């Protein structure tokens, strides 16, 4: 060669040309490029567009395409990130052909999560694949993955997997280090094949329905585990001691299962590397000492919220001092450090606490404000349900907890006033709960600085004064405001209120006065408005209709008057309406939307007219309470359309006529009050079809759940170790949200009682007293075996007491007094073991009174007014001398409002007068003396006239 340099240059150019001709691209192989284009077409939208616009046929270098990474040396595709490229509106049955990935021989990382993939066609075969993410899809079984021999990470979380099929194929994956099956529907016991994954470091089966013991499934064989997440399943039994052999564990989550027994101290003494431990929501018992963690130098997070509140936990005998700074410490619902009931002493030296929850542990201390001073990064402090005393004080000028999101010191004995600068000292608060204490004084105006505050509960204290203008104007994010049971006064919400996000306003049992303020109009997101038990006056304003999102309106026990405004009709989803104990008149508007109405309380007003026909459309109605109004007419036949009705209360009106047979179709009713009306005629025997508390009616929800739940707030980086499974790294802290509980008043045991919330599920009764019912008591009434109260008093029932009443096994109160019953008291009534109130007074009963069981507890007042009744006690014979006397008083008994007695007395007097006059006439007409006497009277009468 004349010029060797030119020859070398020619060789290099030839190589480049051949490379371009052979591959068609300098960026990636043509086979892989074509495979990517086929994948692009598979993921096309229904309208033909693609979520991968950069995957263009004209762009030859596929390594430059989005979501694709190549090896820089050989330009083979090594990573594909195809997360969430299918729209959620796409078709549901999407099966991906696994053969589409065969050309990617060097692929190491494949992410297909969030694509609604239901499964694979064919078997995925990628010999160099190390990471496979199939989470957030719709797999209902484990795909066949046994050929992925290099796989290190497999994420199948958040699918719908409900079978263990193909699980054993995974045992061929000898290099598997991370296995995630969280948030699926796996059930039963974990297969023993799990024990063969000896290389596993990270394992999660959280949020499934797994059961059995931890001894099953081979958990104890996984000696290399660093993270184990088994929370939110149904594992049971004791924690096996072999868990202590997993000495590499750094994170252990066993919360929300059915573990029982004592916490084994020996286990935790060997887990020296443990950084996060959650044992909450189980059923542990006995005692546990934190000395078990004496050898641990890494622990930063501990959670134990036990279902069994008798468990005893000790941190002081001897005192435990963690070797590292604790970030999360949640110890709830147990007995802490008895008998001293002191706070854990190690808290005095903590400076990096992010979450501290010692609620319901029986701690008896002065409110430890120093916890906020020492831990300026605190995000959650919960000391609710203890015996803390003192006042909420700390140096406001030197302390500022700008990261504090949740503060809960409710249900204690805290006194004094709130710090005037609390809004400045804790500016990031989102949840503040100080309810059920004895805090007094006014609400600090600095509360208006809490622009992120979402929930504020100061109920059940002694707060006084008016709502500060700064507060109602500044809390722009507030959604829940609970100020019930205080001494607050003034207008409800001033006109300058700016609580535009408010959804729940609870001000019951205060001293608010005046008319309803237009400041409410600035809270158009309101769902619940509870202003009951105040002194609010005037009429309901027409602008109430602009609060069209309202689901519950509670204005009872005020001084409101006038008709219900027509603007109520703009509220389209009203579920709870309580206007009782006011002075409302007329009737409810005919345009009111009642389709969503479940609870209607209108008692104690001045409503007139018939039972509103509009209510026939309220098919969801559970409670209809219109007692003590001025309703007239008859009980309507359409009443049978209220098939979900549980409580029908129409007593204290002027209803007349008979009980329609359609009422017997209300089979879910457990309380029926028709007392103090003018109802008459025979009692329908079909009333036994109404179940009055029988179990089939308990599926009806009692209470108006305006909120199912309210999201907590994630606390990122809760401890230093970065969990591969995100166990414990973020904490969602749920807080209580208000629920409008149903409350029903019913007369039982001779007094009016209020039944509220879940108690209503166990109460049933029928009150037909003070009416004009006649005829015999239907024997079918005795088939109401679950009824608790039966009151038929002050009517005109005749005949005998039905012997079927012995079937009323749950009866507690039975009142048949002031009727015309005759015959004997059935001796079988002694089988009514729960009977505590019994009266048959003022009837015409006779014979022997039962003298066993409960009947030994009833005095003579239960039987007075039945002179032919007798009581045989202590072997005495039942004769006339032992009959029941009307009363031991010397004064005669005058029974009021008994028309039978009144009629008898007047007819007797009239008969006596007629007989006397007739005798006088006969005497005068039939004797000589009478004739002379009559002439003398006539003569005197004539002289008197003239």
């Amino acid at each position: 060669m004349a010029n060797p340099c030119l020859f070398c240059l020619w060789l290099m150019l030839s190589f480049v040309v051949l490379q371009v001709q052979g591959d068609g691209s300098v960026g990636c192989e043509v086979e892989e490029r074509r495979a990517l284009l086929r994948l692009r077409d598979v993921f096309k939208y229904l309208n033909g567009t693609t979520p991968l616009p950069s995957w263009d046929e004209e762009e030859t270098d596929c390594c430059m395409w989005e979501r694709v990474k190549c090896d820089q040396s050989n330009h083979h595709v090594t990573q594909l990130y195809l997360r969430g490229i299918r729209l959620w509106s796409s078709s549901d049955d999407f099966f991906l052909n696994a053969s589409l990935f065969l050309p990617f021989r060097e692929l190491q990382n494949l992410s297909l999560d969030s694509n609604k993939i239901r499964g694979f066609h064919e078997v995925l075969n990628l010999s160099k694949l190390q990471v496979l993410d199939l989470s957030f899809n719709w797999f209902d079984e484990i795909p066949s993955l046994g050929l992925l021999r290099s796989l290190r990470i497999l994420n199948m979380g958040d699918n719908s997997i409900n079978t263990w099929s193909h699980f054993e194929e995974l045992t061929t994956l000898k290099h598997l280090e991370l296995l995630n099956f969280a948030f699926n529907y796996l059930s039963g016991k974990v297969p023993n094949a799990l024990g063969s994954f000896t290389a596993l470091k990270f394992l999660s089966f959280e949020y499934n329905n797994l059961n059995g013991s931890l001894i099953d499934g081979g958990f104890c064989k996984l000696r290399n585990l660093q993270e184990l997440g088994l929370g939110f399943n149904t594992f049971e039994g004791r924690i096996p001691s072999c868990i202590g052999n997993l000495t590499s564990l750094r994170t252990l989550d066993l919360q929300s299962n059915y573990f029982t027994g004592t916490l084994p101290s020996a286990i935790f003494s060997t887990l020296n590397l443990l950084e996060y431990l959650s044992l909450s929501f189980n059923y542990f018992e006995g005692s546990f000492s934190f000395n078990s963690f004496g050898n641990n130098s890494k622990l930063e997070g501990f959670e134990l919220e036990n279902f069994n509140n008798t468990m005893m936990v000790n941190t002081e005998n001897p005192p435990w001092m963690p070797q590292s700074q604790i970030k999360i410490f949640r110890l709830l619902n147990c007995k802490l450090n008895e008998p001293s009931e002191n706070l854990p002493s190690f808290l005095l030296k903590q400076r990096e606490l992010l979450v501290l929850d010692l609620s319901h542990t029986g701690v008896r201390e002065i409110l430890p404000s120093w916890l906020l001073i020492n831990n300026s990064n605190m995000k959650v402090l919960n000391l609710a349900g203890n015996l803390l005393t003192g006042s909420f004080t700390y140096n406001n000028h030197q302390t500022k907890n700008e990261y504090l999101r949740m503060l809960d010191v409710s249900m204690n004995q805290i006194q004094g006033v709130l710090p005037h600068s609390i809004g400045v000292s804790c500016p990031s608060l989102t949840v503040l709960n100080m309810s059920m204490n004895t805090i007094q004084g006014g609400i600090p105006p600095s509360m208006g600085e809490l622009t992120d505050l979402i929930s504020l509960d100061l109920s059940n204290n002694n707060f006084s004064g008016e709502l500060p203008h700064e507060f109602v104007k500044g809390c722009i994010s507030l959604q829940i405001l609970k100020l019930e049971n205080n001494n607050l006064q003034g207008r409800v919400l001033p006109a300058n209120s700016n609580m535009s996000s408010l959804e729940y306003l609870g001000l019951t049992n205060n001293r608010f006065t005046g008319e309803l303020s237009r400041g409410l109009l600035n809270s158009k997101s309101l769902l619940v408005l509870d202003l009951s038990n105040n002194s609010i006056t005037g009429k309901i304003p027409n602008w109430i209709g602009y609060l069209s999102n309202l689901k519950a309106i509670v204005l009872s026990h005020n001084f409101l008057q006038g008709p219900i405004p027509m603007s109520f009709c703009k509220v389209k989803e009203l579920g709870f309406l309580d206007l009782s104990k006011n002075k409302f008149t007329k009737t409810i508007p005919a345009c009111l939307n009642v389709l969503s109405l479940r609870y209607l309380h209108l008692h104690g007003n001045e409503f007139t007219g018939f039972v509103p026909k509009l209510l026939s459309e309220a098919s969801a109605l559970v409670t209809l309470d219109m007692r003590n109004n001025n309703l007239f007419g008859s009980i309507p036949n359409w009443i049978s359309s209220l098939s979900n009705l549980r409580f029908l209360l129409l007593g204290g009106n002027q209803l007349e006529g008979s009980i329609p047979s359609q009422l017997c179709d209300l089979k879910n009713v457990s309380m029926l009050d028709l007392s103090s009306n003018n109802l008459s005629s025979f009692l329908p025997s079909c009333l036994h079809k109404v179940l009055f508390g029988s179990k089939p009616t308990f599926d009806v929800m009692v209470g108006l759940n305006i909120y199912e739940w309210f999201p907590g707030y994630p606390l990122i980086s809760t401890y230093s170790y970065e969990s591969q499974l995100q166990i414990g790294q973020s904490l969602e802290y749920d807080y209580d949200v208000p629920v409008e509980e149903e409350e029903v008043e019913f007369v039982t045991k001779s007094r009016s009682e209020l039944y509220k919330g879940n108690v209503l599920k166990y109460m049933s009764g029928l009150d037909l007293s003070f009416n004009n019912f006649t005829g015999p008591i239907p024997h079918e009434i005795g088939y109401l075996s679950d009824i608790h109260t039966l009151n038929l008093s002050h009517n005109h029932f005749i005949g005998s007491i039905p012997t079927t009443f012995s079937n009323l096994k749950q009866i507690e109160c039975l009142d048949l007094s002031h009727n015309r019953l005759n015959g004997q008291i059935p001796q079988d009534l002694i089988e009514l073991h729960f009977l505590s109130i019994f009266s048959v007074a003022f009837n015409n009963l006779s014979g022997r009174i039962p003298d066993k069981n409960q009947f030994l507890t009833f005095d003579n007042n239960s039987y007075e007014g039945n002179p032919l009744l007798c009581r045989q006690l202590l072997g005495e014979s039942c004769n006339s001398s032992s009959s029941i006397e009307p009363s031991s008083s010397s004064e005669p008994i005058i029974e009021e409002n008994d028309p039978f007695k009144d009629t008898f007395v007047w007819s007797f007097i009239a008969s006596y007068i007629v007989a006397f006059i007739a005798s006088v006439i006969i005497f005068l007409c039939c004797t000589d003396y009478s004739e002379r006497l009559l002439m003398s009277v006539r003569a005197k009468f004539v002289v008197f006239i003239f």
Side-chain angles (χ1 to χ4, degrees):
M1 288 283 178
N3 192 336
C5 291
L6 291 174
F7 178 74
C8 291
L9 182 59
W10 178 81
L11 285 176
M12 292 175 63
L13 290 172
S14 300
F15 178 79
V16 171
V17 171
L18 290 172
Q19 184 72 22
V20 171
Q21 291 176 347
D23 295 342
S25 172
V26 296
C28 63
E29 289 189 350
V30 77
E31 184 181 7
E32 292 181 344
R33 180 173 174 273
R34 290 172 179 169
L36 289 173
L37 292 174
R38 287 194 295 270
L39 270 175
R40 179 200 64 181
D41 294 339
V42 168
F43 286 102
K44 274 186 177 180
Y45 299 146
L46 295 177
N47 61 5
T49 60
T50 175
L52 303 166
S54 67
W55 293 23
D56 193 343
E57 296 180 7
E58 296 181 2
E59 173 61 57
T60 56
D61 186 4
C62 62
C63 292
M64 301 299 293
W65 293 354
E66 61 180 319
R67 301 175 180 262
V68 179
K69 286 190 178 182
C70 299
D71 187 284
Q72 293 183 356
S73 61
N74 59 25
H75 302 289
H76 282 290
V77 175
T78 57
Q79 300 183 38
L80 282 177
Y81 299 100
L82 303 179
R83 181 180 189 273
I85 59 176
R86 288 191 76 238
L87 291 176
W88 285 102
S89 60
S90 305
S91 60
D92 296 340
D93 293 325
F94 177 61
F95 288 84
L96 188 59
N97 194 330
S99 64
L100 290 170
F101 298 97
L102 286 176
F104 306 108
R105 296 181 297 276
E106 301 295 324
L107 192 63
Q108 299 176 21
N109 190 325
L110 176 59
S111 177
L112 292 169
D113 59 299
S114 306
N115 280 305
K116 294 175 63 176
I117 301 172
R118 192 172 289 277
F120 285 127
H121 287 310
E122 301 187 26
V123 178
L124 198 62
N125 186 359
L126 297 167
S127 60
K128 295 189 178 181
L129 192 67
Q130 297 183 32
V131 178
L132 178 60
D133 189 350
L134 299 175
S135 61
F136 293 96
N137 279 294
W138 289 11
F139 287 94
D140 55 10
E141 65 176 4
I142 302 170
S144 182
L145 304 173
L147 298 179
L148 307 179
R149 302 302 174 86
S150 301
L151 200 64
R152 295 175 51 249
I153 295 176
L154 174 59
N155 188 355
M156 295 293 304
D158 290 272
N159 277 279
S160 301
I161 300 172
N162 55 30
T163 174
W164 292 102
S165 62
H166 301 297
F167 182 78
E168 293 198 6
E169 291 183 25
L170 301 180
T171 59
T172 60
L173 310 179
K174 300 300 182 181
H175 303 287
L176 202 61
E177 296 181 1
L178 185 149
L179 182 59
N180 184 12
F181 279 103
F183 293 94
N184 277 283
Y185 298 99
L186 292 168
S187 59
K189 296 181 179 180
V190 177
N192 290 324
L194 178 68
S196 63
F197 293 96
T198 54
L200 268 183
K201 295 181 180 179
F202 312 101
L203 174 63
S204 178
F205 283 112
E206 292 190 314
Y207 291 94
N208 280 278
N209 194 28
L210 304 176
N211 56 32
S213 169
L214 292 189
I215 298 177
D216 306 323
F219 289 106
C220 295
K221 297 178 182 179
L222 307 178
R223 299 294 184 93
N224 292 313
L225 273 184
Q226 296 180 20
E227 297 183 22
L228 178 58
L230 300 177
F232 302 94
N233 282 283
T234 57
F235 289 109
E236 56 192 5
R238 296 174 178 267
I239 299 177
S241 59
C242 62
I243 294 295
N245 298 332
L246 308 182
T247 54
S248 297
L249 271 180
R250 303 173 75 175
T251 298
L252 177 59
D253 187 352
L254 301 178
Q255 65 178 310
S256 295
N257 280 283
Y258 291 91
F259 292 116
T260 56
T262 57
L263 285 175
S265 300
I267 292 177
F268 303 114
S269 63
T270 61
L271 302 180
N272 298 332
L273 301 178
L274 204 60
E275 296 189 19
Y276 175 80
L277 174 63
S278 179
L279 302 169
S280 293
F281 305 113
N282 283 286
Y283 297 87
F284 298 115
E285 55 191 9
S287 60
F288 176 74
S289 173
F290 269 76
N291 270 333
S292 304
F293 300 114
N295 298 327
N296 188 295
S297 60
K298 303 283 187 179
L299 191 65
E300 295 184 4
F302 177 84
E303 296 186 74
L304 174 57
E305 182 174 356
N306 203 36
F307 280 133
N308 186 349
N309 60 5
T310 61
M311 183 179 179
M312 304 181 68
V313 179
N314 195 288
T315 64
E316 305 303 305
N317 192 19
W320 174 65
M321 187 61 61
Q323 299 180 36
S324 59
Q325 287 288 307
I326 299 294
K327 305 294 192 307
I328 299 176
F329 193 78
R330 298 184 66 244
L331 184 61
L332 296 76
N333 200 35
C334 63
K335 297 180 179 179
L336 179 60
N337 294 331
E338 288 194 339
S340 66
E341 299 176 335
N342 293 331
L343 284 168
S345 58
F346 75 86
L347 293 175
L348 288 166
K349 296 189 177 181
Q350 300 304 305
R351 298 295 184 270
E352 299 179 17
L353 276 169
L354 299 177
V355 177
L356 176 62
D357 192 337
L358 295 175
S359 56
H360 304 284
T361 53
V363 171
R364 190 185 298 270
E365 290 263 8
I366 296 176
L367 182 66
S369 300
W370 48 265
L371 283 168
L372 292 174
I373 299 174
N374 294 348
N375 298 274
S376 58
N377 293 326
M378 182 92 76
K379 296 183 178 181
V380 171
L381 177 59
N382 190 348
L383 301 173
N386 287 294
L387 299 170
L388 301 177
T389 58
S391 58
F392 194 92
T393 58
Y394 59 95
N395 193 327
N396 296 304
H397 302 290
Q398 298 181 1
T399 303
K400 189 170 184 179
N401 297 93
E402 57 183 326
Y403 301 106
L404 190 64
R405 307 285 294 277
M406 176 179 177
L407 176 60
D408 190 345
V409 291
S410 60
M411 293 180 283
N412 280 285
Q413 300 172 9
I414 300 172
Q415 305 164 345
V417 298
L418 289 184
H420 69 275
S421 61
I422 185 171
V424 178
S425 301
C426 307
S428 300
L429 275 174
T430 56
V431 178
L432 177 59
N433 189 350
M434 295 184 169
S435 62
M436 301 182 72
N437 283 285
T438 56
I439 304 173
Q440 56 191 8
I443 297 175
S446 69
M447 285 276 199
E449 301 290 332
L450 301 177
T451 55
D452 293 329
L453 191 65
I454 290 179
S455 175
L456 174 62
D457 190 350
L458 302 179
S459 61
N460 297 283
N461 278 284
N462 294 322
F463 285 104
S464 58
E466 298 185 2
L467 300 181
H469 289 276
E470 299 87 346
F471 166 64
V472 298
K473 190 174 182 180
C475 294
I476 57 176
S477 301
L478 197 62
Q479 297 180 20
I480 300 172
L481 177 58
K482 291 176 63 63
L483 301 175
E484 298 95 335
N485 302 309
N486 281 286
N487 294 311
L488 297 168
Q489 58 191 36
R491 302 294 293 274
V492 170
L493 282 183
N496 68 338
S497 170
N498 193 27
M499 295 183 175
S500 57
S501 300
L502 197 62
E503 296 182 1
Y504 182 100
L505 179 59
L507 303 180
T508 186
N509 284 322
N510 278 282
R511 298 181 180 180
F512 290 105
T513 57
E515 297 183 352
L516 289 175
S517 169
R518 293 184 67 90
L520 289 170
L521 276 176
N522 299 326
S523 302
K524 293 185 179 179
S525 298
L526 265 179
L527 298 176
V528 177
L529 176 62
D530 188 350
L531 306 178
S532 57
N533 288 286
N534 281 283
S535 299
I536 300 172
T537 57
K539 299 179 179 181
I540 297 179
N542 282 321
W543 51 254
I544 196 77
Y546 292 112
L547 303 177
S548 57
N549 293 317
L550 280 169
K551 296 181 181 294
I553 301 175
V554 186
L555 301 175
S556 60
H557 293 83
N558 279 286
F559 299 99
L560 294 166
Q561 58 187 359
I564 300 175
M566 298 294 290
S567 60
F568 252 64
C569 302
K570 297 179 181 179
V571 183
K572 299 299 183 183
E573 297 184 7
L574 193 61
F576 193 112
L577 179 59
D578 188 351
L579 303 178
S580 56
K581 299 296 180 72
N582 281 283
K583 297 181 180 180
F584 290 112
T585 57
K586 296 186 177 180
T587 186
I588 59 177
C591 59
L592 185 68
N593 192 321
V594 297
L595 295 179
S596 302
L597 194 60
R598 299 190 66 203
Y599 305 96
L600 179 60
H601 294 267
L602 301 176
H603 70 273
N605 281 284
E606 298 173 6
F607 290 114
T608 59
F610 300 108
V611 178
K613 177 71 163 55
L614 169 69
L615 297 179
S616 63
E617 303 172 9
S619 58
L621 203 61
V622 174
T623 299
L624 174 56
D625 185 356
M626 298 190 72
R627 290 171 297 125
N628 300 321
N629 280 283
N630 297 316
L631 301 179
F632 52 80
S634 59
I635 299 173
N637 293 337
W638 53 256
I639 199 75
S640 59
S641 63
L642 307 180
S643 58
N644 287 312
L645 206 60
R646 285 281 303 276
F647 313 107
L648 177 57
L649 311 172
L650 299 175
N653 283 284
Q654 301 171 31
L655 299 175
E656 55 189 12
S658 60
I659 295 178
S661 60
Q662 288 82 355
L663 189 142
C664 299
D665 296 331
L666 301 178
K667 296 184 179 180
N668 287 322
V669 166
S670 58
M671 287 188 184
L672 176 59
D673 181 3
L674 301 177
S675 63
S676 300
N677 279 285
N678 297 318
L679 298 171
S680 59
S681 189
F682 293 158
L683 203 61
S685 60
C686 63
L687 279 176
H688 75 280
K689 296 180 180 179
V690 183
L691 298 179
F692 286 104
S694 295
K695 292 181 180 179
T697 69
F698 289 170
D699 58 348
V700 179
M701 179 67 70
V702 173
L704 181 66
N705 293 309
I706 300 301
Y707 304 91
E708 290 294 332
W709 62 282
F710 212 95
Y713 297 91
L715 307 173
I716 308 301
S717 302
T718 50
Y719 61 101
S720 58
Y721 172 57
E722 294 185 1
S723 168
Q724 295 295 318
L725 297 171
Q726 288 79 47
I727 297 175
Q729 278 197 310
S730 63
L731 177 64
E732 281 198 347
Y733 222 101
D734 297 335
Y735 52 87
D736 291 336
V737 293
V739 173
E740 283 297 325
E741 287 188 306
E742 173 63 323
E743 185 176 78
V744 171
E745 184 178 359
F746 195 82
V747 176
T748 181
K749 299 183 180 180
S750 302
R751 61 182 181 269
S752 181
E753 298 282 0
L754 283 176
Y755 299 93
K756 187 173 183 179
N758 287 329
V759 176
L760 286 173
K761 295 181 180 180
Y762 308 101
M763 182 58 197
S764 60
L766 172 62
D767 190 349
L768 301 178
S769 60
F770 291 96
N771 278 286
N772 296 313
F773 291 113
T774 59
I777 299 174
H779 71 275
E780 289 88 351
I781 299 295
Y783 300 149
L784 301 175
S785 57
D786 289 289
I787 200 168
H788 290 175
T789 295
L790 177 59
N791 191 347
L792 303 179
S793 66
H794 294 86
N795 280 283
H796 307 301
F797 290 116
I798 61 174
S800 60
I801 299 174
T803 58
T804 55
F805 274 21
S806 62
N807 297 319
L808 305 176
K809 300 300 183 182
Q810 302 297 320
I811 197 77
E812 298 176 15
C813 176
L814 177 59
D815 191 347
L816 305 176
S817 63
H818 297 274
N819 280 286
R820 303 176 185 178
L821 300 174
N822 54 34
Q824 298 187 357
I825 300 175
Q827 296 297 313
D828 289 343
L829 296 188
I830 62 173
E831 299 175 7
L832 306 181
H833 300 293
F834 296 105
L835 192 62
S836 58
I837 299 293
F838 177 72
S839 179
V840 290
F842 299 104
N843 280 281
N844 297 316
L845 298 172
S846 60
R848 185 167 62 90
I849 296 173
D851 55 3
K852 295 181 180 179
N853 300 335
Q854 293 296 101
F855 281 82
L856 294 174
T857 65
F858 305 139
D859 58 22
N860 285 353
N861 291 328
S862 298
Y863 310 106
E864 63 179 336
N866 293 278
L868 298 181
L869 277 178
C870 61
R871 168 172 278 177
Q872 182 172 348
L873 297 173
L874 303 176
E876 294 180 7
S877 61
C878 191
N879 50 42
S880 57
S881 63
S882 61
S883 61
I884 303 299
E885 296 297 331
S887 175
S888 59
S889 173
S890 59
E891 297 181 2
I893 296 175
I894 301 176
E895 184 183 351
E896 299 180 358
N897 299 325
D898 191 335
F900 173 75
K901 285 190 173 183
D902 293 343
T903 303
F904 175 79
V905 170
W906 284 110
S907 61
F908 177 82
I909 294 173
S911 301
Y912 183 85
I913 294 173
V914 169
F916 175 78
I917 293 174
S919 300
V920 171
I921 291 173
I922 292 172
F923 171 77
L924 293 176
C925 296
C926 298
T927 63
D928 292 339
Y929 175 77
S930 63
E931 287 182 4
R932 290 193 300 271
L933 181 61
L934 185 59
M935 291 295 293
S936 174
V937 170
R938 184 184 303 164
K940 291 180 180 180
F941 181 72
V942 171
V943 172
F944 176 77
I945 292 176
F946 291 100

